[in-house]
């Protein structure tokens, strides 16, 4: 796997830190927990999409694009960071935002929605829940072409082979940090939404023949469906990166303990995980991805999934702005 040969923009200065979560580990009496601070990645308010955008925006530039179009939910971290990268690069940006099935707390006034307005109040277009988002992206691209622009579509979550390369690169970063720490990780735990972060990590570790099992906490689909999706995406990434062997289905481990009551719908387990992490490590997770993933990790720990001395690295993938949009939920007793 030769990442240096691929076009890439750099939006973060160096590696994100890995912190020992000593007080959180003590709460459970093991395993040994560590947190990778991908919430500290570059672009506005950080988070996991920055790694994907390093490769996606470079690809757009290499194809002569002047307009980037992508889609997501009303509180989309991916859309916030895509817009942020476009502002930085002087590119036009169009965000197609799908309305929630039911109105959620303050999602139309604060959090990521506020940040879209601050970065570019003309970038967003809201479409009804249930809209065919791929068709909506194509329609937006056609409109841009008719204006003489050169559009570049980024799929929802940035989870195509180019974007997922960002998390294969993250696997390389983690491997080098664990060598510095002189102790390899047994498990890496992350949220699994559009699936690209987990798939990129799996492809990256597989290319180095490394152990850490990547456990994806599904926040959108039931376990089996997510596993099939991530398996397909991991093989697409491996092929893109020229990793010889196919990735076996056994390498893909997804869990849906944290999914209920559904995508972007808050749960008591998520609230407990967000508060526990804040009160033990002074870290803010988010209600849709990292908070739910931490709730899933906590459930696995309580179920006895890990050995006491296992070393588990949790990826804090960011998303913190959405916390403010869900403020009323955290005030509820
Ligand atoms: C903060 C945050 N964490 C995790 C994820 C999940 O990453 P992926 O969509 O690559 O599975 C997302 C996706 O939007 C996210 O915004």
């Amino acid at each position: 796997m030769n990442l240096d040969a691929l076009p890439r923009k750099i939006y973060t200065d160096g590696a994100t830190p890995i912190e020992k979560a000593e007080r959180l580990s003590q709460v459970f009496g093991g395993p040994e927990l560590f947190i990778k601070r991908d919430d500290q990645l570059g672009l506005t308010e950080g988070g996991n999409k920055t790694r994907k955008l390093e490769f996606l925006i470079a690809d757009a530039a290499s194809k002569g694009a002047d307009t980037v179009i992508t889609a997501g939910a009303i509180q989309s971290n991916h859309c916030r960071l895509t817009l942020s990268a476009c502002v930085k690069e002087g590119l036009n940006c169009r965000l197609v935002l799908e309305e929630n099935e039911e109105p959620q707390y303050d999602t139309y006034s604060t959090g990521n929605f506020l940040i879209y307005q601050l970065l570019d109040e003309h970038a967003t277009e809201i479409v009804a829940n249930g809209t065919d988002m791929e068709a909506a992206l194509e329609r937006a691209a056609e409109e841009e072409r008719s204006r003489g622009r050169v559009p570049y579509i980024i799929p929802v979550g940035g989870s195509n082979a180019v974007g997922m390369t960002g998390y294969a690169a993250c696997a390389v970063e983690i491997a080098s940090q664990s060598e510095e720490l002189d102790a390899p990780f047994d498990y890496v735990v992350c949220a699994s939404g559009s699936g690209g972060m987990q798939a990129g990590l799996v492809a990256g570790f597989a290319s180095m023949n490394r152990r850490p099992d990547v456990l994806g906490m599904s926040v959108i689909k039931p376990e089996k469906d997510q596993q099939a999706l991530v398996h397909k995406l991991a093989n697409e990434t491996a092929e893109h990166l020229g990793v010889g062997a196919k990735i076996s289905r056994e390498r893909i481990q997804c869990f849906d303990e944290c999914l209920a009551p559904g995508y972007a719908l808050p749960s008591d387990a998520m609230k407990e995980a967000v508060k526990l992490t804040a009160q033990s490590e002074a870290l803010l997770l988010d209600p849709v991805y990292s908070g739910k993933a931490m709730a899933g990790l906590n459930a696995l720990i309580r179920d006895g999934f890990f050995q006491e001395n296992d070393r588990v690295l949790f990826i804090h993938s960011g998303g913190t702005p959405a916390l403010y949009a869900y403020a009323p939920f955290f005030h509820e007793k």
Side-chain angles (χ1 to χ4, degrees):
M1 181 172 76
N2 183 9
L3 293 169
D4 295 339
L6 298 169
R8 182 177 188 174
K9 301 266 180 188
I10 298 295
Y11 294 132
T12 308
D13 193 14
T16 57
I18 290 182
E19 294 174 1
K20 198 159 191 222
E22 225 153 320
R23 282 173 42 77
L24 187 58
S25 307
Q26 273 166 18
V27 170
F28 295 104
E32 243 185 295
L33 296 172
F34 296 79
I35 299 183
K36 181 146 177 78
R37 299 293 308 276
D38 271 14
D39 58 313
Q40 291 188 358
L41 285 165
L43 299 175
T44 313
E45 302 288 316
N48 74 341
K49 302 304 174 207
T50 298
R51 288 192 191 271
K52 298 180 180 182
L53 287 161
E54 290 193 342
F55 291 93
L56 287 162
I57 298 290
D59 189 48
S62 76
K63 293 188 161 94
D66 57 16
T67 303
V68 173
I69 305 174
T70 196
I74 297 293
Q75 281 291 327
S76 165
N77 301 301
H78 164 66
C79 286
R80 169 196 12 113
L81 288 166
T82 302
L83 180 54
S84 172
C86 288
V87 168
K88 247 185 137 48
E89 300 291 342
L91 293 165
N92 304 303
C93 184
R94 267 183 82 158
L95 304 176
V96 184
L97 305 175
E98 185 184 6
E99 277 182 325
N100 299 326
E101 211 171 325
E102 283 174 33
Q104 288 282 320
Y105 304 103
D106 299 332
T107 44
Y108 286 89
S109 60
T110 184
N112 287 312
F113 200 83
L114 169 65
I115 301 175
Y116 310 145
Q117 310 307 313
L118 297 174
L119 292 173
D120 178 357
E121 62 269 49
H122 304 299
T124 54
E125 171 192 345
I126 296 175
V127 297
N129 184 265
T131 297
D132 177 341
M133 297 306 275
E134 265 180 48
L137 285 171
E138 278 305 332
R139 201 178 331 107
E142 211 32 63
E143 273 173 34
E144 295 301 325
R145 278 186 210 105
S146 71
R147 290 178 190 151
R149 286 185 174 161
V150 182
Y152 180 91
I153 293 181
I154 297 181
V156 171
S159 287
N160 59 13
V162 174
M164 291 185 286
T165 301
Y167 268 90
C170 179
V172 175
E173 186 175 304
I174 291 170
S176 131
Q177 285 175 302
S178 67
E179 265 160 36
E180 278 163 35
L181 290 167
D182 199 23
F185 295 107
D186 300 293
Y187 297 94
V188 170
V189 177
C190 65
S192 194
S194 62
M197 174 164 55
Q198 185 182 2
L201 287 167
V202 169
F205 287 123
S207 78
M208 294 178 282
N209 252 327
R210 296 257 174 179
R211 153 84 206 269
D213 290 7
V214 183
L215 311 181
M217 300 296 155
S218 183
V219 298
I220 301 178
K221 291 181 195 295
E223 198 169 290
K224 288 240 154 27
D225 297 349
Q226 190 68 8
Q227 213 146 319
L229 171 68
V230 174
H231 187 216
K232 175 177 155 288
L233 296 178
N235 273 311
E236 280 174 25
T237 313
E239 201 178 315
H240 177 67
L241 296 173
V243 176
K246 282 237 175 255
I247 291 166
S248 70
R249 180 68 181 251
E250 290 68 52
R251 259 199 113 105
I252 313 297
Q253 299 183 60
C254 295
F255 299 83
D256 59 10
E257 272 81 354
C258 64
L259 175 57
Y263 175 63
L265 298 174
S267 65
D268 288 343
M270 176 278 287
K271 188 194 277 189
E272 190 222 359
V274 167
K275 285 193 166 178
L276 185 59
T277 310
Q279 291 169 15
S280 58
E281 297 297 330
L283 286 181
L284 297 181
L285 301 173
D286 85 280
V288 180
Y289 297 98
S290 54
K292 283 212 168 167
M294 183 59 90
L297 170 59
N298 294 351
L300 287 191
I301 295 174
R302 287 172 175 139
D303 287 352
F305 181 91
F306 302 103
Q307 307 288 323
E308 195 181 319
N309 55 356
D310 276 341
R311 294 166 58 87
V312 178
L313 178 67
F314 177 81
I315 312 273
H316 183 345
S317 48
T320 310
L323 202 51
Y324 304 101
Y326 284 73
F329 172 75
F330 287 94
H331 292 305
E332 279 169 12
K333 291 280 175 240

